[in-house]
Amino acid sequence: DGGITQSPKYLFRKEGQNVTLSCEQNLNHDAMYWYRQDPGQGLRLIYYSQIVNDFQKGDIAEGYSVSREKKESFPLTVTSAQKNPTAFYLCASSIVGTDTQYFGPGTRLTVL
Amino acid sequence: DAKTTQPTSMDCAEGRAANLPCNHSTISGNEYVYWYRQIHSQGPQYIIHGLKNNETNEMASLIITEDRKSSTLILPHATLRDTAVYYCIVRPYTGTASKLTFGTGTRLQVTL
């Protein structure tokens, strides 16, 4: 069953702790993305990657870091430098050369 | 990307067609119209896209006016599971990884 998985669905962390959100896809897509969504708001791009071992900052990269060591995986680390980390985080992927992005189910992060 | 205007909310009776309008009067010749939807607390779901011809797939139909300044997404037989926020996005084909810009969308409520 092809698709994008994000785990966990809900995540709670104490303020000041780094946390890593998982994103895995088996669609054989080259490009992967991380977005953040706040209540009642649209999606904002954090980071994206077109190819393994390469990634670019999006509109709100400060306080976040990513890695792309495998085509299938694009984990996002929310660091303690992120001022307002509580949000709904969405991972997506696409075939480079098409503009259709496919999204995972999301991880809702709450920092206490 | 061209700006889009959608109604804030719409209601539709189950089993009836849902027609969701989108105005994009500043669309450029190389910009596509994409539709996504987001069911509450889930990741966005791609529905359909088109350039100037009408398009149909298993989920919906997309009708684009001849001058391309507006379009309508049609869900032919709406069900309760179609209750979601629907986003109309206009963007050029880039051939590379790039962000999707989601506006506020139309909240469709399907009722019995």
Side-chain angles (χ1 to χ4, degrees):
Chain A
D1 208 11
I4 302 174
T5 56
Q6 293 185 243
S7 60
K9 189 170 178 63
Y10 298 96
L11 190 55
F12 297 88
R13 280 293 182 269
K14 291 183 179 179
E15 193 171 343
Q17 290 182 334
N18 291 355
V19 59
T20 297
L21 282 59
S22 167
C23 177
E24 303 279 333
Q25 55 97 1
N26 61 4
L27 300 168
N28 200 32
H29 287 172
D30 290 304
M32 297 187 74
Y33 313 77
W34 275 104
Y35 292 87
R36 167 184 172 139
Q37 187 174 35
D38 293 284
Q41 304 294 313
L43 279 66
R44 292 184 289 170
L45 183 67
I46 304 173
Y47 269 98
Y48 66 100
S49 167
Q50 296 193 74
I51 197 169
V52 173
N53 293 323
D54 185 51
F55 47 83
Q56 287 77 41
K57 293 182 178 179
D59 297 326
I60 55 164
E62 185 175 349
Y64 300 97
S65 66
V66 293
S67 63
R68 188 86 188 275
E69 297 177 2
K70 297 187 299 182
K71 186 176 184 177
E72 302 79 18
S73 179
F74 192 40
L76 173 75
T77 297
V78 184
T79 74
S80 57
Q82 168 52 231
K83 300 300 181 192
N84 298 295
T86 294
F88 188 42
Y89 289 88
L90 290 155
C91 180
S93 71
S94 70
I95 298 171
V96 175
T98 74
D99 283 343
T100 302
Q101 294 182 20
Y102 297 89
F103 286 81
T107 291
R108 192 168 298 279
L109 173 65
T110 301
V111 176
L112 306 169
Chain B
D1 294 354
K3 180 179 170 55
T4 62
T5 304
Q6 299 178 253
T8 303
S9 63
M10 295 181 64
D11 292 330
C12 179
E14 189 175 35
R16 305 297 293 265
N19 297 289
L20 293 96
C22 180
N23 285 321
H24 32 78
S25 59
T26 61
I27 191 170
S28 299
N30 66 338
E31 289 184 313
Y32 286 75
V33 180
Y34 283 80
W35 284 84
Y36 284 76
R37 73 179 182 184
Q38 188 172 24
I39 296 169
H40 184 63
S41 293
Q42 296 183 21
Q45 179 186 21
Y46 164 78
I47 301 173
I48 199 168
H49 75 280
L51 182 62
K52 52 185 173 182
N53 297 323
N54 297 339
E55 302 288 345
T56 296
N57 63 19
E58 66 277 3
M59 287 183 68
S61 294
L62 173 61
I63 308 298
I64 303 174
T65 58
E66 193 168 341
D67 62 8
R68 302 208 322 121
K69 293 185 177 182
S70 66
S71 59
T72 301
L73 179 74
I74 301 172
L75 308 178
H77 305 287
T79 71
L80 297 177
R81 287 181 293 182
D82 292 320
T83 293
V85 179
Y86 287 77
Y87 297 96
C88 170
I89 300 169
V90 174
R91 64 198 299 260
Y93 172 74
T94 63
T96 63
S98 60
K99 68 179 178 183
L100 283 175
T101 301
F102 288 75
T104 54
T106 296
R107 185 172 299 276
L108 176 69
Q109 180 70 51
V110 180
T111 57
L112 291 171

